[in-house]
Amino acid sequence: MGPGTTCPYRGPLSRPQVSTWIEPVVASTQMATSLYDAGLLLVVKASFGVDVLSNHSASPSPQGTLENQEQRAISNFYIIYNLVMGLTPLLSAYGLGWLSDHYHRKISICMPLLGFMLSRFALLLKVLLDWPVEMLYGAAALNGLCGGFSAFWSGVMALGSLGSSEGRRSLRLIVIDLILGLAGFCGSMISGHLFNQIVGHSSQGLVLTAFSVSCATCALFYSLLVLKVPESKAKPSKAVDTVSGTVCTYNTLDPDPTDKQSVTRHPSSPAIAKPKKTIIALLFVGAIIYDLAVVGTVDMMPLFVLREPLSWNQVQVGYGMASGYTIFVTSFLGVLAFSRYFQDTTMIMIGMVSFASGALLLAFVKETYMFYIARAVMLFALIPITTIRSAMSKLIKGSSYGKVFVILQLSLALTGVVTSTMYNKVYQLTMEKFVGTCFALSSFLSFLAIIPIGIVAYKQAAWLQHGDIAEKERC
């Protein structure tokens, strides 16, 4: 067969270009991030632990009070740190998204990777030179000014969407999440062991932070020198224009709309475009409420496992973080199976129920095995946000991916800032009475997020029915 040979029903044969794969960048970046997150928690705990013990030697107090003081100190650190991490990208992320749409897609990937590398290097310097933990606020600000995770992940989603057809986009984006999860799992599993490689307060964590810097550096140079922007696999402009059409407005939320090509398409109109905007708004609301629940749970989990009744050590903390990344695998398998039978909205609601149930169980954890059972119940927790991104990408033009994705990511980042501050304060107020209060609140918010997604599903069904009736009348 020559290069121009075609296969029936498949189109021209083409070899995939490895250089267009975003997965190596995602894997290296997430490996660096998982090592950094574990290292940051353990370094901060060690620093504040020394301060609390020195204060204790000056004025003795009960052991339980010491633990509470340490928890409050760590919690207050993360309040400021998360505020800086969440707010500084607001100054640059949208601009990077605009530049990536108009000039080059790699702009919104390479700039954040530079910030990632510098912030990881700052943690290495803190460990190596025993600087005060407050210098990490500056590292977080530098990371955010380079775009942070908001700009990076919107760029990754844009490249992933460009390189996939509408019918396979949900699967394509969840595969990227799967790679991220596998890399995070590996990084978290070894983080506790790497942290303990060098004994002694002043240098403990040196090996871990050095590995983190190395991975971030590899990701940056790969994206600069190897990564290429894939050619768009979106349908011709005729199909894009019909996204707002009477019949296809909500068909684009189907797992595989390519199977419905026989449906007659009609020009768009302002009256028909309005429901599309409503659907996007509802998807935004569902994503933000759900992200409130997820961010609150993720932020409080490290503090929760460090104190009684669990009181984990460094290795156990690494294993616990790794367990969180298993949802990337189970969510991938879930999308792979559910996309054959369910629409996007149904998959989103399944994921929300999964997370809400696991968060409720987490509120009552007393033993380590109970923690892992609760995490296992959250097996489909990653599906909602990824599928919402996929559904939104089917309702907008490819030239707007960068802006829309970065707006969504910035909305989630801003939500995360508010959530982190609120949850840390709630945790400090309730940790002596009922330590699982934050997880119970997350469960409630996750169930609440189902409401706007349910409205989307209802509107989708109603609009499809209306479109079928109109089509029969035209025939």
Side-chain angles (χ1 to χ4, degrees):
M1 286 187 178
T5 307
T6 60
C7 291
Y9 313 111
R10 290 181 180 269
L13 289 176
S14 60
R15 295 180 180 179
Q17 295 184 359
V18 177
S19 58
T20 63
W21 292 358
I22 192 65
E23 285 82 352
V25 177
V26 172
S28 298
T29 304
Q30 187 55 35
M31 177 70 77
T33 299
S34 59
L35 293 172
Y36 175 81
D37 289 343
L40 179 65
L41 175 65
L42 296 173
V43 166
V44 170
K45 181 181 183 297
S47 297
F48 286 122
V50 170
D51 293 340
V52 170
L53 286 175
S54 62
N55 294 334
H56 172 66
S57 60
S59 55
S61 55
Q63 183 65 32
T65 304
L66 287 179
E67 184 180 50
N68 290 338
Q69 289 176 1
E70 183 184 80
Q71 289 269 304
R72 286 191 177 90
I74 298 173
S75 178
N76 288 329
F77 168 84
Y78 273 104
I79 288 176
I80 300 175
Y81 184 84
N82 290 334
L83 277 171
V84 175
M85 282 285 290
L87 293 178
T88 49
L90 297 177
L91 303 175
S92 58
Y94 182 81
L96 290 174
W98 185 88
L99 289 172
S100 69
D101 279 341
H102 289 80
Y103 294 99
H104 202 290
R105 288 289 175 188
K106 291 205 298 184
I107 293 176
S108 60
I109 292 178
C110 295
M111 276 300 293
L113 286 176
L114 176 62
F116 289 165
M117 185 189 70
L118 293 176
S119 63
R120 274 71 182 150
F121 186 69
L123 182 62
L124 175 63
L125 290 178
K126 187 264 177 282
V127 173
L128 190 62
L129 304 176
D130 198 21
W131 286 349
V133 293
E134 287 75 16
M135 60 86 63
L136 295 174
Y137 298 147
L142 182 61
N143 186 5
L145 290 174
C146 290
F149 184 79
S150 299
F152 171 73
W153 200 241
S154 63
V156 169
M157 291 293 101
L159 259 65
S161 297
L162 284 173
S164 60
S165 63
E166 286 187 2
R168 294 297 177 185
R169 192 160 298 159
S170 294
L171 186 60
R172 168 63 175 154
L173 298 187
I174 201 71
V175 165
I176 295 175
D177 276 330
L178 173 64
I179 299 299
L180 182 142
L182 291 174
F185 177 84
C186 295
S188 296
M189 285 294 289
I190 64 175
S191 61
H193 299 284
L194 291 177
F195 187 83
N196 290 328
Q197 284 299 306
I198 299 179
V199 180
H201 169 64
S202 60
S203 57
Q204 195 172 28
L206 180 61
V207 175
L208 184 149
T209 51
F211 265 82
S212 179
V213 172
S214 300
C215 292
T217 304
C218 288
L220 176 61
F221 280 101
Y222 183 93
S223 65
L224 285 172
L225 304 177
V226 180
L227 181 65
K228 294 181 180 179
V229 178
E231 295 182 3
S232 175
K233 292 187 179 180
K235 296 179 182 178
S237 58
K238 178 182 177 183
V240 172
D241 293 339
T242 60
V243 167
S244 345
T246 303
V247 178
C248 292
T249 299
Y250 300 108
N251 265 355
T252 53
L253 293 179
D254 253 341
D256 195 0
T258 55
D259 294 338
K260 300 179 177 61
Q261 292 178 353
S262 60
V263 177
T264 305
R265 291 167 167 80
H266 304 278
S268 60
S269 68
I272 292 169
K274 187 176 181 180
K276 184 177 74 170
K277 293 181 179 179
T278 303
I279 292 301
I280 293 176
L282 287 169
L283 290 172
F284 256 92
V285 172
I288 289 173
I289 296 176
Y290 182 69
D291 193 62
L292 272 170
V294 174
V295 170
T297 299
V298 172
D299 281 357
M300 292 303 101
M301 211 172 288
L303 293 173
F304 175 73
V305 301
L306 288 176
R307 65 167 289 129
E308 294 181 349
L310 298 182
S311 300
W312 284 359
N313 58 32
Q314 292 94 333
V315 174
Q316 288 174 314
V317 167
Y319 290 165
M321 287 185 170
S323 70
Y325 286 105
T326 58
I327 67 170
F328 288 84
V329 179
T330 53
S331 294
F332 165 75
L333 296 176
V335 169
L336 199 62
F338 298 150
S339 61
R340 298 171 180 265
Y341 308 103
F342 302 125
Q343 294 180 340
D344 284 353
T345 49
T346 305
M347 292 194 295
I348 292 169
M349 288 188 282
I350 290 173
M352 289 177 173
V353 170
S354 172
F355 179 82
S357 303
L360 189 60
L361 288 176
L362 199 59
F364 301 97
V365 164
K366 299 297 181 184
E367 301 287 345
T368 295
Y369 77 90
M370 297 173 65
F371 175 89
Y372 287 109
I373 291 175
R375 292 300 269 168
V377 173
M378 297 179 181
L379 73 170
F380 299 131
L382 190 68
I383 292 177
I385 296 296
T386 302
T387 309
I388 285 173
R389 286 194 185 100
S390 173
M392 291 176 62
S393 73
K394 299 170 189 176
L395 295 170
I396 59 176
K397 295 181 179 180
S399 60
S400 300
Y401 283 164
K403 289 182 290 186
V404 173
F405 283 146
V406 83
I407 289 173
L408 174 61
Q409 201 62 44
L410 285 175
S411 300
L412 297 180
L414 191 58
T415 301
V417 170
V418 176
T419 304
S420 179
T421 304
M422 179 185 71
Y423 269 74
N424 272 284
K425 290 299 182 183
V426 170
Y427 179 79
Q428 291 180 24
L429 292 172
T430 60
M431 64 180 178
E432 296 179 20
K433 299 174 183 177
F434 177 50
V435 73
T437 301
C438 291
F439 303 134
L441 177 60
S442 291
S443 178
F444 168 76
L445 289 173
S446 186
F447 280 120
L448 185 66
I450 295 175
I451 295 176
I453 304 302
I455 295 174
V456 171
Y458 173 78
K459 285 182 173 290
Q460 175 187 356
W463 196 259
L464 285 175
Q465 184 179 9
H466 174 75
D468 290 341
I469 294 172
E471 185 65 23
K472 290 179 180 178
E473 290 177 353
R474 279 193 290 270
C475 293

